[in-house]
Amino acid sequence: MVNKLMNSLQNNQVVPGQRLTRGEMKDHHQRCARQVIAGVEEVLHITKVSKVLLFSDVHAGCHGDICGYMEFEQDFEKTQVLKADRAAALKIIDRKHWFNGDEIVSRALQAAGAGQDQGSLAVLLTIKQL
């Protein structure tokens, strides 16, 4: 998560310019989603690959018995404009019919008997970032 987003999400009082403006909060995740889509589509075209497995901050929260990344959910609950932006970004990404990486990992953890072990999920997501 970028610093400006984190500062805005957690209402950190920082140097001016180090938080998203109210206008930026309305479409930050949506702009990022569109940039990811453009980049992935370029790679898909070059490689002729047809399937995408995406790990993303917009795949968050619980949907039924499957949970994605949950670390900052309490902050999103306090910042409704960012929560709405993230939900709109998820709709943009979902239209691509890509595989949700968090969902696949969560289902694998359940199948292995680990349930919704956020520690295991965090370790896997940290490895992904390396």
Side-chain angles (χ1 to χ4, degrees):
M1 196 177 294
V2 296
N3 285 341
K4 286 177 78 172
L5 173 59
M6 180 63 73
N7 289 335
S8 302
L9 189 60
Q10 295 184 334
N11 200 25
N12 294 336
Q13 302 303 317
V14 295
V15 178
Q18 294 302 308
R19 291 174 50 124
L20 297 172
T21 66
R22 186 86 172 152
E24 289 171 326
M25 284 187 205
K26 290 180 181 179
D27 69 351
H28 171 79
H29 291 92
Q30 295 169 74
R31 284 183 286 116
C32 290
R34 288 184 185 100
Q35 290 173 345
V36 167
I37 289 169
V40 168
E41 287 179 344
E42 186 176 331
V43 170
L44 292 175
H45 177 74
I46 292 168
T47 63
K48 308 298 186 220
V49 172
S50 62
K51 296 180 181 176
V52 174
L53 173 65
L54 180 68
F55 289 89
S56 168
D57 287 347
V58 299
H59 291 122
C62 292
H63 307 282
D65 63 341
I66 300 298
C67 294
Y69 190 59
M70 301 287 292
E71 184 177 359
F72 299 104
E73 283 307 294
Q74 72 282 357
D75 296 316
F76 276 98
E77 288 300 322
K78 295 181 220 168
T79 315
Q80 291 298 306
V81 67
L82 284 169
K83 182 178 179 180
D85 170 47
R86 185 177 67 174
L90 181 58
K91 287 180 182 180
I92 292 168
I93 288 173
D94 279 350
R95 286 194 293 260
K96 303 309 291 180
H97 303 287
W98 294 342
F99 293 99
N100 175 342
D102 288 349
E103 180 181 344
I104 289 172
V105 168
S106 186
R107 288 190 189 283
L109 287 171
Q110 282 184 343
Q116 295 297 326
D117 182 356
Q118 288 294 303
S120 297
L121 185 55
V123 168
L124 289 170
L125 294 176
T126 300
I127 291 169
K128 170 195 71 103
Q129 294 174 3
L130 294 176

